[in-house]
Amino acid sequence: MLLAAIDWHALLFLLFALVACGFGAAVLLTSNVVRMAFYLTLCLGATSGLFFLAGAQFVGAMQLMIYVGGTLVLLIFGVMLTAQARFISMKTGAGEWILGAIVGSSLLLLLVRAGFSVESWRLPRLDRDKITLAEGQTSTAIGLALTSVRVDKLSAPNEKLKPGMSGYLLPFVIVSMHLLVVLIGAGYMARTKRLGVNRATDRPVAQAPPRDRDRSFFVSAGLASGMIVNLLLAVGCCWLVAKPLAITGNAAPTNQFLLQLAKAIDAAPSWLLPTLGLLFLANVLLLVVVWYWQKWGVVGLVIVPLVMAFLIASTSLGQAAAVTIALIALAPVVLLILLLCSGRPTAWSQME
Amino acid sequence: MAQFLNVEVFSRLAGLAGGSVSADSWMGYAAAAAIHILFLIHVVAVGALVFIWLERKVAGRIQDRLGPTRVGGKFGWLQTLADGIKLIAKEDITPKDADPLLFKLAPYVSFAASFTAYMALPFANGWAAQEINVAVFFIVAVLGLEVFGVILAGYASGSKWSLFGGMREAAQVVSYEVPIGLCIVVPVLIVGSMNLVTIGEAQVGFFSNWLIFHDPFTFLVFFVYFTCAVASVNRAPFDLAEAESELVAGFHTEYSGLRWSFFFMAEYGSMFLVSGLAAILFFGGWNGPIPIFHMIGWAYEQGETGWRITGYIAQVAGVLNFMLKAVLGVTVMMWVRWTLPRLRIDQVMTTCLKYCVPLAAFCFIGAMLWKVYDVSSPHDLHGYTYGRSFAETRENWVLASEDNASRAVGNALRGVPESGTTEAQANSNRTSPHAHASVGRGTPDVTAPLAAQEVN
């Protein structure tokens, strides 16, 4: 059969390659910036098609996400927002053509030389029946390389190639931190300014006079008692670190509760008590923050007990103790939030 | 399916004419591919017809009207078809100031992006047009491209309303890709795979095994996901790109006729897609709330590769389950649209950056800690499981990669040179948990749905 004789894989490869090259050339030959971006998108999309054809699905999807999506953002913010009429249609002079041709062709020559320098790429392989596509399993190896070990290095023939086997964990973490910083920075830059500049007169607007904020007696009392209790707990933790309770002997506490407490402290790792003390101190500081009308203090007050619970859960004391302590610590916070949200006007609405 | 068609259909037909067809003939593959394409196009095209009718009905009932009642007898269910005929008959206008090429192409770009994502969406266990190992990632990447058509339409129309609509949509979709990505990572993290078939099949069993009930964080993250999904498919209350009270009709102001309807097919296609993705990621995909077909033993067992009628019925029931969940998601989107007023653009951005992103990040960290500390989920309280637990799925995954690595080490120790790579890949095919029973590369095999979960 004629159709059965066709090598579909090669045919599709040629198709995608033609699309990629054709639209690459179209990017060069068009003078309209938006059409250029559109052709560039199609060119990059065809390249991702080549990756999918080779079974590298992760890289293909990455190509779509980063390059095609990136071109999109470029198109939006680089062209549509900023371009004036004279930039929309770009005329290229003869000198620019010559310069571009020299740079481009030298790069092309370099790539062709590099491509043909690989021995196994020169001739078509004869054992094509034996080649199996990776069937998309490549992403596992990529994931392993990013977090722990490079599978391909394991089979390195000599010891000199072995270094670098531990993968790309450090670059991965650095890049993710970088992206996080960029995300937060972008949010910061784009935020609405509270004290803007009056556009009409181009003079700063006078700051609104601070509102009279009244704090009800219950909220004040709750905050004050919270500070005192947390301070006492922090001091207690420090005291227990300095002078541990004895479990046995004459000094052992006769009170059943104290005895249980001493046993629990003894069973816990040594870092737990100082950490808990610090967290109680943090609670005091957060209460001070709430006292000065900052909303993020309340968020911190919710987070600290959860952190405590996770710390305790990770020790030998068990999850039951963790949940109990979290509940005991969360209950006053919930009470405080209820207090903040009651009254008229609510304390919450006055906070920043 | 290709082999099934070859053996059962084509060889018998050829037998009548006196010829013969081998089991690996191209005809089976071509026919199987055609059937898949036909089904998928109908999900989008007919789905859009049904959804537009449904939207009118839902809108009518919410506003205390009846909606369409007359066309096609009861319930006005042929109303959209009548509209479609009207649209075909309309004149196809290109404005004077438009960029003619981009203006004509934009609807197709939008529709193609929406439709391409369906390639990776499984409708039942292993019934995906192309089962991709990184299907979740692929769908997110392709869905982000749908906005490209809208931007092109906005620019190429040569009208300020269109341009404003396109710009708004661009800003919105680009921002909402961040929280939606964070939300999707949570189920991926819990199951330990980006393969949608694996994620769906990990939730087999009672509804308590669905990922939304896995822990409080996944419960919360689903709602964040749904909000972001509504925003990313540009539905009210986030439909600023076509805000008719401000921008006439936004990016499709200048469009008419069939081109205009392509935008709507793309929109309803994307709605169904994100709802289907939610169904797989959070609501057990094709697994019903009670695993009836597992209880009576009809569903395919793990590692089963043969074809049987009972298993096929169970699969079809799975497709119905999946469709039902996805349609439910689309209906909720309609309900939201006719209930909430449209947000302002700064409110849209505030929702994204100040609420959705921090919430999604918080849930991500929470779910991660839940996983690290191995806290039990409600599903562990009763002992009924059919299929593998998440731990088992993950274990298979790790075992396969370890196997891969150890084979590579073995090759290195034996001194096998370069060819080791190819061999290791071939080995990984055989031993991986998601290995295909490769009947045909590029042509999915419907008769062997469980080959995808072959356990070693």
Side-chain angles (χ1 to χ4, degrees), chain A residues 264-334:
Chain A
I265 290 167
D266 193 54
S270 57
W271 52 264
L272 187 66
L273 267 183
T275 320
L276 282 183
L278 280 179
L279 283 174
F280 283 127
L281 265 185
N283 256 345
V284 176
L285 290 179
L286 286 170
L287 283 166
V288 174
V289 166
V290 176
W291 183 275
Y292 284 104
W293 305 102
Q294 298 295 320
K295 273 180 185 170
W296 58 270
V298 182
V299 180
L301 281 178
V302 178
I303 291 173
V304 166
L306 294 179
V307 172
M308 281 184 189
F310 273 116
L311 284 178
I312 296 171
S314 66
T315 64
S316 55
L317 296 181
Q319 291 178 7
V323 171
T324 318
I325 288 187
L327 285 181
I328 290 174
L330 272 177
V333 180
V334 172

Side-chain angles (χ1 to χ4, degrees), chain B residues 36-107:
Chain B
H36 281 97
I37 293 169
L38 206 70
F39 272 133
L40 280 186
I41 285 189
H42 277 82
V43 170
V44 182
V46 179
L49 283 185
V50 175
F51 286 141
I52 290 175
W53 169 80
L54 188 68
E55 175 117 43
R56 292 177 163 199
K57 276 307 221 191
V58 169
R61 292 303 160 117
I62 286 178
Q63 296 166 348
D64 207 9
R65 296 184 285 116
L66 286 176
T69 49
R70 302 239 169 92
V71 188
K74 258 177 134 47
F75 308 123
W77 60 278
L78 277 181
Q79 180 69 47
T80 336
L81 201 64
D83 284 352
I85 293 168
K86 183 196 78 179
L87 281 175
I88 292 173
K90 271 192 170 181
E91 188 187 353
D92 184 22
I93 304 167
T94 308
K96 186 165 68 69
D97 286 341
D99 184 331
L101 177 74
L102 296 183
F103 183 79
K104 290 208 168 75
L105 279 178

Side-chain angles (χ1 to χ4, degrees), chain A residues 35 57 62 72 132-133 136 139, chain B residues 26 99 133 137 148 155 429:
Chain A
R35 281 198 191 183
Q57 292 164 344
M62 212 60 165
L72 201 71
T132 322
L133 274 187
S139 55
Chain B
W26 62 273
D99 184 331
N133 197 23
F137 188 50
F148 195 54
Y155 169 77
N429 277 344

Side-chain angles (χ1 to χ4, degrees), chain A residues 14-344:
Chain A
L14 283 178
L15 186 74
F16 279 119
L18 265 181
V19 170
C21 294
F23 281 110
V27 172
L28 282 180
L29 299 175
T30 331
S31 59
N32 184 316
V33 176
V34 180
R35 281 198 191 183
M36 269 184 208
F38 178 60
Y39 294 146
L40 187 61
T41 314
L42 290 183
C43 171
L44 293 168
T47 316
S48 89
L50 285 177
F51 283 125
F52 280 111
L53 204 60
Q57 292 164 344
F58 184 76
V59 185
M62 212 60 165
Q63 169 92 9
L64 277 183
M65 189 101 177
I66 294 175
Y67 287 95
V68 183
T71 318
L72 201 71
V73 176
L74 184 84
L75 172 73
I76 299 158
F77 297 106
V79 179
M80 283 170 71
L81 273 184
T82 55
Q84 303 297 316
R86 66 194 171 93
F87 288 117
I88 290 285
S89 180
M90 281 163 59
K91 294 276 178 289
T92 335
E96 287 168 318
W97 268 110
I98 293 169
L99 258 179
I102 291 172
V103 174
S105 52
S106 51
L107 252 176
L108 185 68
L109 270 180
L110 198 72
L111 282 174
V112 169
R113 275 297 300 272
F116 278 96
S117 68
V118 179
E119 186 72 37
S120 55
W121 291 0
R122 282 189 201 163
L123 292 171
R125 282 180 70 157
L126 297 176
D127 54 344
R128 294 190 52 174
D129 299 341
K130 290 180 191 161
I131 305 173
T132 322
L133 274 187
E135 288 283 0
Q137 286 299 315
T138 45
S139 55
T140 310
I142 293 174
L144 276 176
L146 281 178
T147 50
S148 53
V149 70
R150 281 182 63 184
V151 182
D152 56 327
K153 284 262 180 182
L154 284 174
S155 56
N158 61 42
E159 283 299 316
K160 279 186 183 167
L161 291 175
K162 284 275 171 96
M165 204 180 73
S166 53
Y168 304 105
L169 186 57
L170 185 66
F172 181 65
V173 172
I174 290 175
V175 168
S176 3
M177 287 311 290
H178 178 236
L179 285 178
L180 183 69
V181 169
V182 167
L183 184 68
I184 294 173
Y188 179 76
M189 303 274 276
R191 81 198 193 285
T192 341
K193 311 276 189 304
R194 282 240 176 72
L195 303 169
V197 173
N198 193 336
R199 289 282 149 76
T201 56
D202 217 17
R203 262 176 301 175
V205 178
Q207 190 175 357
R211 283 176 293 173
D212 280 338
R213 296 188 278 207
D214 49 20
R215 186 186 286 116
S216 75
F217 168 72
F218 293 108
V219 174
S220 319
L223 288 175
S225 64
M227 283 181 216
I228 294 168
V229 170
N230 273 303
L231 205 59
L232 282 179
L233 282 170
V235 171
C237 280
C238 296
W239 184 65
L240 281 174
V241 171
K243 234 179 106 182
L245 289 171
I247 304 174
T248 52
N250 287 339
T254 48
N255 187 328
Q256 198 59 36
F257 173 74
L258 281 180
L259 192 66
Q260 289 291 331
L261 189 69
K263 276 182 183 165
I265 290 167
D266 193 54
S270 57
W271 52 264
L272 187 66
L273 267 183
T275 320
L276 282 183
L278 280 179
L279 283 174
F280 283 127
L281 265 185
N283 256 345
V284 176
L285 290 179
L286 286 170
L287 283 166
V288 174
V289 166
V290 176
W291 183 275
Y292 284 104
W293 305 102
Q294 298 295 320
K295 273 180 185 170
W296 58 270
V298 182
V299 180
L301 281 178
V302 178
I303 291 173
V304 166
L306 294 179
V307 172
M308 281 184 189
F310 273 116
L311 284 178
I312 296 171
S314 66
T315 64
S316 55
L317 296 181
Q319 291 178 7
V323 171
T324 318
I325 288 187
L327 285 181
I328 290 174
L330 272 177
V333 180
V334 172
L335 194 67
L336 182 69
I337 292 174
L338 281 181
L339 279 175
L340 285 177
C341 293
S342 61
R344 190 177 295 258

Side-chain angles (χ1 to χ4, degrees), chain B residues 302-371:
Chain B
Q302 299 286 343
E304 194 176 331
T305 51
W307 189 89
R308 53 189 167 81
I309 184 73
T310 49
Y312 194 82
I313 292 172
Q315 288 285 83
V316 171
V319 172
L320 288 181
N321 250 324
F322 174 77
M323 292 283 207
L324 192 71
K325 287 172 191 173
V327 170
L328 204 66
V330 174
T331 315
V332 172
M333 283 188 188
M334 291 172 183
W335 174 23
V336 168
R337 172 174 177 180
W338 296 106
T339 309
L340 296 177
R342 182 179 301 127
L343 299 177
R344 282 198 319 264
I345 185 75
D346 62 316
Q347 291 169 330
V348 170
M349 290 300 149
T350 308
T351 314
C352 173
L353 292 173
K354 278 194 179 165
Y355 296 98
C356 288
V357 171
L359 261 178
F362 170 73
C363 291
F364 172 67
I365 292 172
M368 190 181 72
L369 289 174
W370 200 276
K371 194 79 188 150

